[in-house]
Amino acid sequence: MQQASNVRDILGAGNPVDRLGRPLHDLRISVMDRCNFRCPYCMPKEQFHEHYRFLKSQERLSFDEIVRLARLFGSLGVRKLRLTGGEPLLRANLADLIGDLTGIPEIEDIALTTNGVLLAQHAVDLHANGLRRVTVSLDTLDKDIFARMSGGFGALEQVLHGIDAAIAAGLSPVKINAVIERGINDHGTLDLLERFRGMPVIVRFIEFMDVGNRNEWRPDTVVPSRELVARIKARWPMHPIAENYRGEVAQRWRFDDGMGEVGFISSVSQPFCGTCSRARLSSEGKFYTCLFATHGLNLRDALRSGATDADLLQMIRGTWLERTDRYSEQRDELRQARNPAEQKIEMYYIGG
Ligand code: SAM
Ligand code: SF4
Ligand code: SF4
């Protein structure tokens, strides 16, 4: 059965399914490699300093190039797009790009992940151009810890203001991503929930991951979600609820008192590679099949040297058909076996 569907795929009919039976359904597009924060778990400021060489603007995909690729991905089965970065709101006229992407018939859902600092000034425009969902990263409500976790940039008040503005603009429910690191912000999880319970906001706790090569990740800095679930349940009884769709990354729990829900993204303690249908496009147009990949397929050079849609489709399809990634399920063995010279891609470059 598998063999038959692969033959059909190679011939170009139907949507591609990878070697582990996973379709291509989501595409995360990094529209900007730069960021106005220096979160130590993503872009530690010692390494991403003022002389760090980010992409020049002509090295980044243009909006036309992004839209052309998104159309092609749509024809291969992608239904969800997420714009991310770096900080996507640093990309000028981002709302225009969203307007263009909403015109792709296959795309059912467009979301944005942002650190929230510039959200208040853009929320209405983003909504007017068709954005319906936003995820804001916010790890803590403690000003000092916030400063530490953002590398000393931005202000907590700006992010909170951005969340309020997003709700007011109709971008709700707003999702909040909180990366939890043991000994840094794990004691603030209940405060985050206390503030947002009962609002059109869904807080999602993310296990600190070993993305990239520079964040000094150690297994003992991860707070397994089950530990947080126990802590939260003791304060506000809650029960697990079904996923919204197959392959949803967050495990959902609902408060028994009707005050909303909370999510847990447990990619370290309970990996979900088995249903991973996410692809990533870097700001300079490389296509990656895993957050922990070491190599990407250069679509920008193909685009800029005159590749036809058929050529590009074949490149994307062929790469997806060969995909075997399941890093989070193999973390321990791969961490030991990988050649240190073979660097993983950095998070800021392909987005979360
Ligand atoms: N700058 C935007 C933001 O922070 O929302 C978008 C890009 S950021 C790379 C996307 C998401 O990745 C954020 O929610 C961030 O917290 C998460 N992230 C970054 N590094 C991480 C790590 N080491 N472990 C887990 N999540 C991480
Ligand atoms: Fe910037 Fe987002 Fe990375 Fe923080 S997590 S440094 S806000 S890209
Ligand atoms: Fe998907 Fe790679 Fe993450 Fe597994 S490790 S869930 S394959 S992105």
Side-chain angles (χ1 to χ4, degrees):
M1 217 29 212
Q2 184 64 44
Q3 211 182 6
S5 85
N6 276 348
V7 169
R8 195 195 60 191
D9 285 336
I10 290 161
L11 291 175
N15 295 332
V17 172
D18 75 9
R19 293 262 190 123
L20 302 177
R22 301 167 296 185
L24 171 56
H25 189 261
D26 294 43
L27 180 66
R28 300 188 172 198
I29 304 175
S30 171
V31 293
M32 173 52 95
D33 56 327
R34 289 171 188 266
C35 188
N36 44 5
F37 276 18
R38 286 293 179 275
C39 309
Y41 52 68
C42 177
M43 295 176 83
K45 65 177 165 208
E46 299 70 29
Q47 316 216 22
F48 295 91
H49 41 68
E50 55 186 307
H51 302 299
Y52 186 82
R53 191 191 169 287
F54 288 100
L55 298 174
K56 299 194 179 101
S57 62
Q58 68 273 21
E59 291 174 310
R60 288 186 207 109
L61 290 183
S62 67
F63 284 178
D64 284 349
E65 288 171 330
I66 292 174
V67 173
R68 180 172 172 204
L69 288 176
R71 237 178 244 293
L72 296 176
F73 275 96
S75 73
L76 291 174
V78 165
R79 298 291 173 263
K80 291 180 62 179
L81 298 178
R82 176 170 293 279
L83 302 186
T84 173
E87 175 45 44
L89 291 177
L90 288 180
R91 181 84 187 237
N93 307 318
L94 187 71
D96 293 345
L97 174 65
I98 289 170
D100 293 343
L101 293 172
T102 55
I104 302 175
E106 290 88 354
I107 301 303
E108 296 163 359
D109 184 29
I110 303 179
L112 172 76
T113 306
T114 170
N115 63 28
V117 162
L118 300 172
L119 188 54
Q121 73 192 71
H122 292 291
V124 168
D125 203 19
L126 291 168
H127 184 265
N129 277 272
L131 187 74
R132 293 292 171 264
R133 301 197 301 116
V134 68
T135 300
V136 180
S137 302
L138 176 62
D139 305 325
T140 177
L141 291 174
D142 179 302
K143 281 194 171 128
D144 295 333
I145 301 173
F146 179 91
R148 182 169 171 189
M149 295 190 81
S150 70
F153 294 88
L156 175 62
E157 290 308 322
Q158 291 171 303
V159 180
L160 295 174
H161 186 39
I163 293 168
D164 290 342
I167 296 170
L171 293 167
S172 63
V174 170
K175 287 186 180 156
I176 292 187
N177 274 0
V179 176
I180 303 300
E181 272 188 79
R182 191 178 297 284
I184 308 276
N185 64 337
D186 53 329
H187 52 282
T189 49
L190 296 181
D191 296 341
L192 270 171
L193 290 175
E194 176 106 69
R195 174 164 185 128
F196 294 111
R197 266 170 35 94
M199 289 175 62
V201 170
I202 301 172
V203 177
R204 293 136 34 109
F205 295 108
I206 304 183
E207 290 178 350
F208 176 35
M209 295 185 286
D210 54 334
V211 282
N213 313 280
R214 311 177 191 205
N215 64 10
E216 298 182 2
W217 182 89
R218 294 190 322 271
D220 62 348
T221 55
V222 179
V223 181
S225 293
R226 77 180 75 83
E227 201 177 308
L228 293 182
V229 167
R231 200 183 298 172
I232 297 165
K233 256 172 109 174
R235 171 81 173 271
W236 297 290
M238 57 180 190
H239 54 277
I241 55 174
E243 57 184 16
N244 282 314
Y245 53 88
R246 186 176 143 76
E248 185 171 32
V249 293
Q251 293 160 336
R252 303 168 64 206
W253 289 69
R254 184 165 289 152
F255 294 115
D256 292 355
D257 61 6
M259 294 290 268
E261 71 178 73
V262 52
F264 299 89
I265 301 180
S266 321
S267 37
V268 179
S269 68
Q270 298 164 67
F272 36 77
C273 301
T275 54
C276 178
S277 53
R278 287 174 292 285
R280 292 176 160 84
L281 187 60
S282 77
S283 0
E284 64 174 335
K286 286 194 179 153
F287 167 45
Y288 291 90
T289 55
C290 178
L291 182 54
F292 299 90
T294 52
H295 297 94
L297 174 73
N298 191 333
L299 294 175
R300 185 196 65 188
D301 285 358
L303 275 169
R304 294 187 183 176
S305 54
T308 62
D309 284 356
D311 296 334
L312 293 165
L313 281 172
Q314 197 176 15
M315 288 172 77
I316 299 167
R317 176 189 290 279
T319 301
W320 193 262
L321 289 173
E322 291 304 315
R323 177 182 190 243
T324 56
D325 305 276
R326 51 188 196 94
Y327 177 90
S328 288
E329 290 179 352
Q330 301 171 306
R331 177 169 275 108
D332 293 344
E333 48 193 287
L334 288 181
R335 282 180 70 82
Q336 280 173 20
R338 260 191 186 171
N339 174 357
E342 208 174 49
Q343 299 270 288
K344 282 180 282 179
I345 191 70
E346 294 293 331
M347 182 73 139
Y348 78 94
Y349 175 76
I350 48 170

